[in-house]
């Protein structure tokens, strides 16, 4: 039992990408209405932002009320524009991914604070920064592109730290959230306090969740964002490959013990 458990843990470690973030920008066209100055497409790669505002002199942690907003953190796509990023390790429709969610997209959408600066979600859950929602498509080969339904309006805004009670804290926290763990899609943030939002995230760092089930693709390596209209822009901070959560080791040990006991009983 011990050796098989060790093997399971080792293979689980190997199966997960060495780096869960997007790795390469294949295409970036800002379009005609991109936000001026936000053209650094490489910022869609790597880990999404945890601390923002240093350049502009308003340092703050990233929280659902305080999304990233600086030119080195998010990239803007306007009318006629597109952003295509690639993952070096494919993002798979893994049955062990929480809530079926396989891919997370982080943007600059925030929750309107109904009791600034306390962090109180409005009763209607109003957001800002989601005036333009991208069309999101995924592909395994850059030939067949499948649109996924992941409206950024129903998005869980980024939560960078788990140990802060101030959603606008001017120093980073000590406990980082998990940017590869989705928020339960059944969670509704409407009317919640910041403490309740943190509890509802349950360790997740937020992000809008995409389930590859239904796309017909078992895994994808490419994600394309296009602007759906003629005005405004959307911004992307980063993407992550969701970490699968293996069955608890205790359950494996339990089933192994039952097997052993059954065999002994047969012998005697
Ligand atoms: Ca990667
Ligand atoms: Ca899935
Ligand atoms: Ca970024």
């Amino acid at each position: 039992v011990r050796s098989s458990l060790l093997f399971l843990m080792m293979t689980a470690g190997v199966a997960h990408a060495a780096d869960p973030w997007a790795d390469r920008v294949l295409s970036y066209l800002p379009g005609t209405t991109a936000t001026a100055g936000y053209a650094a497409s490489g910022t869609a790669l790597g880990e999404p932002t945890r601390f923002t505002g240093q350049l502009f002199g308003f340092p703050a942690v990233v929280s659902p009320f305080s999304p990233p907003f600086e030119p080195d953190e998010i990239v803007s796509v306007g009318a006629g524009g597109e952003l295509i990023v690639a993952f070096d390790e494919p993002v798979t429709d893994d049955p062990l991914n929480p809530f079926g969610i396989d891919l997370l997209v982080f943007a600059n959408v925030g929750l309107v604070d109904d009791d600034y600066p306390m962090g109180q979600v409005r009763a209607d859950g109003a957001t800002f920064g989601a005036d333009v929602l991208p069309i999101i498509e995924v592909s395994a080969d850059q030939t067949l592109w499948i649109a996924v339904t992941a409206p950024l309006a129903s998005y869980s805004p980024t939560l960078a730290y788990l140990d802060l009670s101030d959603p606008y804290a001017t120093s980073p926290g000590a406990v980082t959230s998990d940017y590869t763990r989705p928020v339960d899609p059944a969670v509704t943030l409407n009317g919640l306090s910041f403490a309740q939002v943190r509890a509802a995230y349950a360790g997740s760092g937020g992000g809008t969740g995409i389930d590859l089930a239904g796309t017909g693709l078992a895994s994808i390596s490419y994600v394309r964002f296009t602007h759906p209209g003629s005005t405004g822009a959307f911004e992307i901070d980063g993407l992550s490959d969701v970490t699968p959560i293996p069955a608890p080791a205790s359950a494996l040990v339990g089933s192994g013990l039952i097997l052993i006991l059954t065999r002994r009983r047969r012998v005697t």
Side-chain angles (χ1 to χ4, degrees), residues 64-84:
F65 301 96
S66 169
F69 64 97
E70 293 196 321
D72 60 336
E73 296 165 349
I74 51 176
V75 57
S76 183
V77 179
E82 72 169 18
L83 173 70
I84 303 177

mmCIF file of all heavy atoms in Angstrom, residues 64-84:
data_model
loop_
_atom_site.group_PDB
_atom_site.id
_atom_site.type_symbol
_atom_site.label_atom_id
_atom_site.label_comp_id
_atom_site.label_asym_id
_atom_site.label_seq_id
_atom_site.Cartn_x
_atom_site.Cartn_y
_atom_site.Cartn_z
ATOM 1 N N PRO A 64 -10.925 41.237 -4.737
ATOM 2 C CA PRO A 64 -12.109 41.388 -5.588
ATOM 3 C C PRO A 64 -12.587 42.842 -5.702
ATOM 4 O O PRO A 64 -13.279 43.185 -6.656
ATOM 5 C CB PRO A 64 -13.154 40.506 -4.899
ATOM 6 C CG PRO A 64 -12.329 39.419 -4.283
ATOM 7 C CD PRO A 64 -11.097 40.135 -3.773
ATOM 8 N N PHE A 65 -12.195 43.696 -4.753
ATOM 9 C CA PHE A 65 -12.551 45.117 -4.820
ATOM 10 C C PHE A 65 -11.415 45.954 -5.391
ATOM 11 O O PHE A 65 -11.568 47.155 -5.572
ATOM 12 C CB PHE A 65 -12.916 45.629 -3.414
ATOM 13 C CG PHE A 65 -14.065 44.897 -2.797
ATOM 14 C CD1 PHE A 65 -13.856 43.852 -1.919
ATOM 15 C CD2 PHE A 65 -15.380 45.231 -3.120
ATOM 16 C CE1 PHE A 65 -14.910 43.151 -1.353
ATOM 17 C CE2 PHE A 65 -16.441 44.537 -2.564
ATOM 18 C CZ PHE A 65 -16.214 43.494 -1.678
ATOM 19 N N SER A 66 -10.281 45.347 -5.625
ATOM 20 C CA SER A 66 -9.073 46.067 -6.020
ATOM 21 C C SER A 66 -8.337 45.279 -7.110
ATOM 22 O O SER A 66 -7.323 44.645 -6.846
ATOM 23 C CB SER A 66 -8.181 46.240 -4.773
ATOM 24 O OG SER A 66 -6.886 46.692 -5.103
ATOM 25 N N PRO A 67 -8.906 45.299 -8.335
ATOM 26 C CA PRO A 67 -8.289 44.519 -9.411
ATOM 27 C C PRO A 67 -6.993 45.169 -9.905
ATOM 28 O O PRO A 67 -6.761 46.353 -9.661
ATOM 29 C CB PRO A 67 -9.358 44.523 -10.510
ATOM 30 C CG PRO A 67 -10.231 45.698 -10.219
ATOM 31 C CD PRO A 67 -10.156 45.947 -8.746
ATOM 32 N N PRO A 68 -6.154 44.397 -10.583
ATOM 33 C CA PRO A 68 -4.922 44.971 -11.131
ATOM 34 C C PRO A 68 -5.267 46.012 -12.197
ATOM 35 O O PRO A 68 -6.224 45.836 -12.950
ATOM 36 C CB PRO A 68 -4.211 43.763 -11.749
ATOM 37 C CG PRO A 68 -5.299 42.780 -12.023
ATOM 38 C CD PRO A 68 -6.328 43.000 -10.965
ATOM 39 N N PHE A 69 -4.471 47.106 -12.253
ATOM 40 C CA PHE A 69 -4.836 48.162 -13.215
ATOM 41 C C PHE A 69 -3.642 48.816 -13.891
ATOM 42 O O PHE A 69 -3.798 49.826 -14.566
ATOM 43 C CB PHE A 69 -5.703 49.221 -12.516
ATOM 44 C CG PHE A 69 -5.013 49.988 -11.408
ATOM 45 C CD1 PHE A 69 -4.443 51.232 -11.651
ATOM 46 C CD2 PHE A 69 -4.950 49.469 -10.133
ATOM 47 C CE1 PHE A 69 -3.816 51.945 -10.634
ATOM 48 C CE2 PHE A 69 -4.326 50.169 -9.108
ATOM 49 C CZ PHE A 69 -3.753 51.404 -9.355
ATOM 50 N N GLU A 70 -2.451 48.252 -13.745
ATOM 51 C CA GLU A 70 -1.291 48.927 -14.332
ATOM 52 C C GLU A 70 -0.856 48.304 -15.658
ATOM 53 O O GLU A 70 -1.117 47.137 -15.931
ATOM 54 C CB GLU A 70 -0.151 48.938 -13.310
ATOM 55 C CG GLU A 70 -0.515 49.812 -12.115
ATOM 56 C CD GLU A 70 0.675 50.184 -11.251
ATOM 57 O OE1 GLU A 70 1.564 49.331 -11.041
ATOM 58 O OE2 GLU A 70 0.691 51.323 -10.767
ATOM 59 N N PRO A 71 -0.159 49.120 -16.501
ATOM 60 C CA PRO A 71 0.185 48.686 -17.870
ATOM 61 C C PRO A 71 1.121 47.485 -17.938
ATOM 62 O O PRO A 71 1.199 46.829 -18.976
ATOM 63 C CB PRO A 71 0.887 49.923 -18.465
ATOM 64 C CG PRO A 71 0.498 51.058 -17.604
ATOM 65 C CD PRO A 71 0.240 50.498 -16.238
ATOM 66 N N ASP A 72 1.832 47.196 -16.835
ATOM 67 C CA ASP A 72 2.711 46.024 -16.860
ATOM 68 C C ASP A 72 2.021 44.800 -16.264
ATOM 69 O O ASP A 72 2.654 43.772 -16.036
ATOM 70 C CB ASP A 72 4.013 46.317 -16.105
ATOM 71 C CG ASP A 72 3.767 46.670 -14.639
ATOM 72 O OD1 ASP A 72 2.644 47.122 -14.320
ATOM 73 O OD2 ASP A 72 4.688 46.497 -13.817
ATOM 74 N N GLU A 73 0.716 44.919 -15.984
ATOM 75 C CA GLU A 73 -0.022 43.820 -15.353
ATOM 76 C C GLU A 73 -1.124 43.242 -16.255
ATOM 77 O O GLU A 73 -1.429 42.053 -16.174
ATOM 78 C CB GLU A 73 -0.663 44.313 -14.047
ATOM 79 C CG GLU A 73 0.366 44.735 -13.014
ATOM 80 C CD GLU A 73 -0.199 45.545 -11.864
ATOM 81 O OE1 GLU A 73 -1.374 45.976 -11.944
ATOM 82 O OE2 GLU A 73 0.527 45.757 -10.883
ATOM 83 N N ILE A 74 -1.743 44.091 -17.045
ATOM 84 C CA ILE A 74 -2.863 43.658 -17.888
ATOM 85 C C ILE A 74 -2.652 44.181 -19.311
ATOM 86 O O ILE A 74 -2.013 45.223 -19.511
ATOM 87 C CB ILE A 74 -4.213 44.171 -17.339
ATOM 88 C CG1 ILE A 74 -4.151 45.685 -17.086
ATOM 89 C CG2 ILE A 74 -4.608 43.417 -16.073
ATOM 90 C CD1 ILE A 74 -5.469 46.304 -16.638
ATOM 91 N N VAL A 75 -3.187 43.438 -20.277
ATOM 92 C CA VAL A 75 -3.094 43.850 -21.680
ATOM 93 C C VAL A 75 -4.506 44.097 -22.203
ATOM 94 O O VAL A 75 -5.439 43.369 -21.870
ATOM 95 C CB VAL A 75 -2.337 42.797 -22.530
ATOM 96 C CG1 VAL A 75 -2.990 41.429 -22.446
ATOM 97 C CG2 VAL A 75 -2.213 43.266 -23.979
ATOM 98 N N SER A 76 -4.643 45.145 -23.009
ATOM 99 C CA SER A 76 -5.952 45.584 -23.485
ATOM 100 C C SER A 76 -6.190 45.157 -24.929
ATOM 101 O O SER A 76 -5.283 45.204 -25.768
ATOM 102 C CB SER A 76 -6.036 47.117 -23.380
ATOM 103 O OG SER A 76 -7.319 47.570 -23.761
ATOM 104 N N VAL A 77 -7.438 44.745 -25.210
ATOM 105 C CA VAL A 77 -7.825 44.362 -26.575
ATOM 106 C C VAL A 77 -9.083 45.150 -26.945
ATOM 107 O O VAL A 77 -10.097 45.072 -26.252
ATOM 108 C CB VAL A 77 -8.103 42.844 -26.679
ATOM 109 C CG1 VAL A 77 -8.528 42.481 -28.098
ATOM 110 C CG2 VAL A 77 -6.878 42.035 -26.249
ATOM 111 N N GLY A 78 -8.983 45.909 -28.039
ATOM 112 C CA GLY A 78 -10.104 46.728 -28.485
ATOM 113 C C GLY A 78 -10.776 46.150 -29.722
ATOM 114 O O GLY A 78 -10.505 45.005 -30.119
ATOM 115 N N ALA A 79 -11.672 46.931 -30.315
ATOM 116 C CA ALA A 79 -12.451 46.482 -31.474
ATOM 117 C C ALA A 79 -11.540 45.999 -32.594
ATOM 118 O O ALA A 79 -10.574 46.671 -32.959
ATOM 119 C CB ALA A 79 -13.328 47.629 -31.974
ATOM 120 N N GLY A 80 -11.856 44.823 -33.125
ATOM 121 C CA GLY A 80 -11.060 44.239 -34.203
ATOM 122 C C GLY A 80 -9.798 43.562 -33.709
ATOM 123 O O GLY A 80 -9.029 43.026 -34.496
ATOM 124 N N GLY A 81 -9.580 43.580 -32.391
ATOM 125 C CA GLY A 81 -8.345 43.026 -31.852
ATOM 126 C C GLY A 81 -8.464 41.585 -31.417
ATOM 127 O O GLY A 81 -9.572 41.037 -31.320
ATOM 128 N N GLU A 82 -7.309 40.980 -31.143
ATOM 129 C CA GLU A 82 -7.295 39.620 -30.629
ATOM 130 C C GLU A 82 -6.024 39.375 -29.824
ATOM 131 O O GLU A 82 -5.015 40.083 -29.991
ATOM 132 C CB GLU A 82 -7.372 38.579 -31.759
ATOM 133 C CG GLU A 82 -6.088 38.479 -32.569
ATOM 134 C CD GLU A 82 -6.050 37.272 -33.520
ATOM 135 O OE1 GLU A 82 -7.102 36.697 -33.817
ATOM 136 O OE2 GLU A 82 -4.931 36.939 -33.972
ATOM 137 N N LEU A 83 -6.101 38.389 -28.969
ATOM 138 C CA LEU A 83 -4.935 37.918 -28.212
ATOM 139 C C LEU A 83 -4.979 36.399 -28.253
ATOM 140 O O LEU A 83 -5.995 35.797 -27.893
ATOM 141 C CB LEU A 83 -5.009 38.415 -26.759
ATOM 142 C CG LEU A 83 -3.949 37.867 -25.798
ATOM 143 C CD1 LEU A 83 -2.560 38.433 -26.126
ATOM 144 C CD2 LEU A 83 -4.310 38.182 -24.344
ATOM 145 N N ILE A 84 -3.900 35.789 -28.700
ATOM 146 C CA ILE A 84 -3.801 34.318 -28.695
ATOM 147 C C ILE A 84 -2.595 33.929 -27.861
ATOM 148 O O ILE A 84 -1.482 34.399 -28.113
ATOM 149 C CB ILE A 84 -3.651 33.727 -30.111
ATOM 150 C CG1 ILE A 84 -4.809 34.162 -31.018
ATOM 151 C CG2 ILE A 84 -3.579 32.197 -30.045
ATOM 152 C CD1 ILE A 84 -4.693 33.665 -32.461
#
